[in-house]
Amino acid sequence: MDTVVEKPAVSMPRIGDRAPEFKAVTTQGEINFPADYKGSWVILFSHPADFTPVCTSEFMTFASMEEKFAKANTKLVGLSVDGLYSHIAWLRTIKDKIEYNGMKNIEVKFPLIEDITMEVAHKYGMIQPGESNTKAVRAVFVIDPNGIIRTVIYYPLSLGRNFEELYRVVIALQTADAFSVATPADWQPGDEVIVPTAGSCGVAKDRMEGKAGEMHCYDWFFCTKKLDKETVFKKILKK
Ligand code: BEZ
C-alpha cells in the first residue's frame, strides 16, 4: 500500500483578515508589524532571493517609486529568507553598481526583513512548495491603516511585478473607501466609478428612468458616475 505523506498546512492570510503580527530585524532596524504602521497603508512584499536579476529589477523600480507611494500614505516593507548581511550587501551593490532601465544610484530606503527561519514567510503563505521550498514567492499584501489585509497577490518566481499596477491598487482601494464607490475593470484615476447597486425596486426604477442625478446606468444594477482625477488626488494624496 502506498504511504500518503501529509503536506504541512500552509497558512494563507485572506482579504479582510487582520495582518498577522511579527517582530523582525530589517535593514532599517527592528520592526513590530503591523503596530509600527498604524495609520499608514503598507505594502508588505516578498522576493525569492537577494542577488538575483528579477528581484534586482523589482527593487530598483519599487525604490524609485517610494516617494510616489509615500504621497499616497503608503509604506513599503520587503522580505526574503536571506540574512541581514546579505540584504545589506545586495542593497549596497544595487546603489553602487547597477544601472538598469534608466535608473542608477538607487538607494533602497524601505526596510527589508531578514527571515532566515522563514517564520514570517510561513505566516503569510509566502513559501509555496509547488514553486519552491527554499525561496519565497513574489507575494504582495496591501494592508490598510487599521492593519486589515485589503489585497493579496501572488506571483511566481520568474515573473517580475508591475509596480504601476500596485500603485493603481492602492489608489483604487483608497478611492473606494473615500468615496464609497467601486472601480471597474482597468480603472485609472479620472475614469468613471461604479455607484453602489440599487437596493430597492424604487431606486432601481428611478435610475432606469434617469431620475438618479448624474449617473450613467447600463442597467438598473450597473450605474457609474464621473469622479475626476483632481478630486480623487486632492482627497487621498498628501500635500
Ligand atoms: C530572480 O529574481 O531573478 C529569480 C529568483 C529566483 C528564481 C528565479 C528568478
Side-chain angles (χ1 to χ4, degrees):
M1 202 175 94
D2 290 341
T3 316
V4 178
V5 180
E6 293 263 331
K7 284 191 182 163
V10 179
S11 135
M12 308 277 281
R14 292 166 299 190
I15 292 173
D17 287 353
R18 192 156 285 286
E21 294 174 1
F22 62 84
K23 289 195 173 117
V25 170
T26 84
T27 49
Q28 300 292 328
E30 287 189 19
I31 60 169
N32 183 6
F33 195 90
D36 290 350
Y37 293 87
K38 193 166 169 44
S40 294
W41 289 76
V42 189
I43 299 182
L44 172 68
F45 69 102
S46 56
H47 70 277
D50 299 344
F51 292 101
T52 51
V54 178
C55 300
T56 301
S57 71
E58 288 195 322
F59 265 65
M60 292 185 76
T61 308
F62 221 175
S64 71
M65 293 170 71
E66 196 176 358
E67 277 299 303
K68 185 170 165 169
F69 280 97
K71 284 207 171 99
N73 189 27
T74 303
K75 295 182 172 160
L76 314 178
V77 180
L79 175 148
S80 80
V81 301
D82 298 288
L84 183 65
Y85 300 137
S86 165
H87 283 345
I88 293 171
W90 181 45
L91 300 188
R92 286 175 61 85
T93 302
I94 286 175
K95 180 162 187 304
D96 295 345
K97 298 200 182 134
I98 311 286
E99 196 171 333
Y100 166 73
N101 208 18
M103 295 174 281
K104 66 175 187 181
N105 205 23
I106 297 292
E107 191 174 354
V108 175
K109 296 181 185 147
F110 57 80
L112 175 49
I113 295 167
E114 79 154 2
D115 192 28
I116 306 173
T117 61
M118 299 190 183
E119 187 190 328
V120 181
H122 282 303
K123 269 191 179 171
Y124 277 83
M126 292 165 171
I127 303 295
Q128 304 198 359
E131 183 73 346
S132 172
N133 281 309
T134 55
K135 294 177 172 63
V137 296
R138 300 181 197 279
V140 180
F141 291 87
V142 182
I143 297 164
D144 76 14
N146 296 315
I148 302 298
I149 295 174
R150 299 289 299 275
T151 298
V152 180
I153 315 174
Y154 290 104
Y155 297 74
L157 302 189
S158 66
L159 177 56
R161 286 161 280 207
N162 182 322
F163 293 95
E164 288 296 344
E165 167 60 5
L166 299 187
Y167 183 73
R168 190 188 78 94
V169 168
V170 166
I171 299 299
L173 290 168
Q174 295 187 9
T175 299
D177 287 0
F179 297 94
S180 301
V181 294
T183 48
D186 296 334
W187 179 83
Q188 292 288 346
D191 292 350
E192 295 210 335
V193 291
I194 295 176
V195 297
T197 300
S200 71
C201 293
V203 172
K205 183 167 178 283
D206 284 352
R207 287 188 181 182
M208 288 315 286
E209 289 173 358
K211 293 183 195 156
E214 292 177 352
M215 281 184 202
H216 174 78
C217 289
Y218 297 89
D219 203 335
W220 68 269
F221 65 92
F222 181 7
C223 299
T224 59
K225 69 174 183 185
K226 289 192 193 324
L227 181 58
D228 62 70
K229 201 174 179 167
E230 292 67 36
T231 309
V232 169
F233 284 145
K234 198 170 167 205
K235 184 134 187 193
I236 65 181
L237 294 191
K238 288 183 183 172
K239 301 286 164 327

